[in-house]
């Protein structure tokens, strides 16, 4: 099975968590100071929000979250997708999760993230310093184990 993945940047995580918890009728499955994620079954969607200083609010990217490594590998390596271009990121840490990813970018420059998550992380970007901590550099395009939330 795969879920549609939507990641939105928000100005106020607390206000957005309150809003979306009412909208979806449930609390987030993952909750951090700067991040929240709902894994909904009806509709099947992985909806995430985050707040990073210096980034505008709005849809960050779209994607598919795969339940199994086999489904993910079959999707990203399918011959029909080869001409679309692809950026692979295996063993990356992003959004408090460890994942293998493949990024595609549509003709209007909308990034699509496809991924299989195989573990949790205590950090947003795979760094020792949690996201949003004082003095943390902007690692959106350069996390230690790969990029986070947008392809290079």
């Amino acid at each position: 099975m795969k879920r549609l993945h939507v990641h939105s940047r928000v100005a106020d995580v607390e206000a957005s968590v309150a809003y979306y918890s009412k909208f979806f009728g449930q609390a987030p499955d993952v909750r951090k100071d700067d991040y929240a994620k709902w894994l909904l079954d009806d509709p099947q969607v992985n909806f995430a929000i985050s707040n990073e200083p210096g980034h505008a609010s709005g849809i960050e990217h779209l994607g598919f979250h795969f339940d199994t490594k086999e489904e993910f590998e079959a999707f990203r390596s399918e011959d029909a997708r080869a001409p679309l271009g692809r950026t692979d990121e295996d063993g990356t840490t992003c959004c408090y999760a460890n994942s293998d990813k493949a990024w595609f970018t549509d003709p209007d420059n909308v990034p699509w993230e496809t991924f299989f998550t195989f573990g949790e992380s205590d950090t947003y970007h795979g760094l020792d310093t949690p996201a949003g901590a004082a003095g943390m550099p902007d690692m959106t395009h350069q996390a230690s184990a790969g990029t986070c939330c947008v392809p290079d």
Side-chain angles (χ1 to χ4, degrees):
M1 178 180 81
K2 58 184 166 266
R3 296 176 193 265
L4 178 65
H5 171 60
V6 178
H7 187 129
S8 184
R9 292 204 190 270
V10 299
D12 183 334
V13 172
E14 291 299 322
S16 294
V17 166
Y19 177 88
Y20 285 113
S21 292
K22 289 177 185 172
F23 184 77
F24 294 135
Q26 71 182 59
D29 294 276
V30 176
R31 180 66 174 95
K32 306 291 183 182
D33 290 340
D34 58 349
Y35 179 83
K37 174 174 63 181
W38 290 260
L39 295 171
L40 305 172
D41 289 325
D42 186 17
Q44 291 184 349
V45 66
N46 169 339
F47 182 82
I49 62 173
S50 64
N51 174 276
E52 289 187 78
H55 293 277
S57 299
I59 299 299
E60 169 69 33
H61 62 270
L62 303 170
F64 292 121
H65 176 180
F66 289 85
D67 284 343
T68 70
K69 175 97 170 159
E70 294 76 22
E71 288 176 311
F72 168 68
E73 292 297 345
F75 181 89
R76 81 166 161 178
S77 62
E78 200 168 274
D79 288 342
R81 277 182 259 298
L84 300 178
R86 181 179 90 214
T87 302
D88 289 330
E89 293 181 325
D90 291 334
T92 190
T93 298
C94 177
C95 300
Y96 300 99
N98 300 314
S99 305
D100 288 342
K101 301 180 180 193
W103 290 92
F104 300 84
T105 304
D106 81 3
D108 292 307
N109 213 29
V110 174
W112 280 81
E113 174 190 33
T114 61
F115 62 99
F116 167 70
T117 298
F118 52 84
E120 295 180 12
S121 171
D122 291 333
T123 58
Y124 188 83
H125 292 290
L127 304 172
D128 293 332
T129 307
M136 174 151 175
D138 177 7
M139 299 302 284
T140 303
H141 294 283
Q142 184 184 335
S144 63
T147 62
C148 189
C149 296
V150 290
D152 275 336

